[in-house]
Amino acid sequence: MLLIDDPAIVAEVTAMADRYEAALMANELETLDALFRDAPETIRYGVGEMLYGFAEIAAFRKGRAGGSPQRRVLRRVITTFGSDLATVNLEFQREGVTRIGRQSQTWVRTDEGWKITCAHVSLMADIS
């Protein structure tokens, strides 16, 4: 039977998600790259881009002046499936903006540790 939300695994993924958020807000490209699985199957759909493979994701981050807009996390849900697969979904709000953003990530445990293998970022319609 598949164990969902084992507290020890949730704690591991929570630490990784916290590390990702801190690196994103500090624009620490080396850390962000290290958190994504270095593989052609890794995907990131952003607000204005569709990136296929680790190389495209890394190139996008390097080319984005100033990094990600600053944001605060409004809600986060982490769900683990067994000991090697997890999802991290969150709602966020960028500084000075009323729109709500959404981010989803699929994390997988690899020989090198937990890595993001699929990510999606989108923005809701303006609520003002």
Side-chain angles (χ1 to χ4, degrees):
M1 172 160 264
L2 181 65
L3 181 59
I4 296 176
D5 289 340
D6 177 297
I9 305 304
V10 171
E12 288 179 23
V13 176
T14 298
M16 297 306 296
D18 290 346
R19 184 175 173 209
Y20 173 87
E21 191 66 26
L24 183 67
M25 292 299 92
N27 198 33
E28 295 173 356
L29 299 184
E30 188 173 307
T31 301
L32 291 169
D33 286 348
L35 293 174
F36 275 77
R37 183 170 173 258
D38 188 349
E41 302 85 12
T42 301
I43 296 172
R44 181 186 177 277
Y45 293 151
V47 173
E49 65 282 340
M50 294 180 290
L51 307 170
Y52 293 90
F54 176 82
E56 287 186 14
I57 296 166
F60 165 76
R61 289 200 189 283
K62 284 181 185 169
R64 184 164 64 173
S68 176
Q70 295 298 295
R71 69 186 192 181
R72 73 183 162 94
V73 175
L74 304 174
R75 183 176 183 178
R76 181 172 71 178
V77 176
I78 296 174
T79 306
T80 65
F81 303 90
S83 60
D84 300 324
L85 183 68
T87 58
V88 176
N89 293 280
L90 60 85
E91 295 176 24
F92 64 87
Q93 192 168 28
R94 292 177 172 170
E95 288 184 7
V97 178
T98 58
R99 295 174 83 181
I100 301 298
R102 300 172 290 187
Q103 174 182 291
S104 60
Q105 299 171 330
T106 302
W107 290 74
V108 63
R109 185 192 307 270
T110 70
D111 291 341
E112 295 81 35
W114 285 99
K115 302 289 183 177
I116 299 165
T117 189
C118 183
H120 179 254
V121 181
S122 60
L123 296 172
M124 301 284 292
D126 197 344
I127 59 174
S128 61

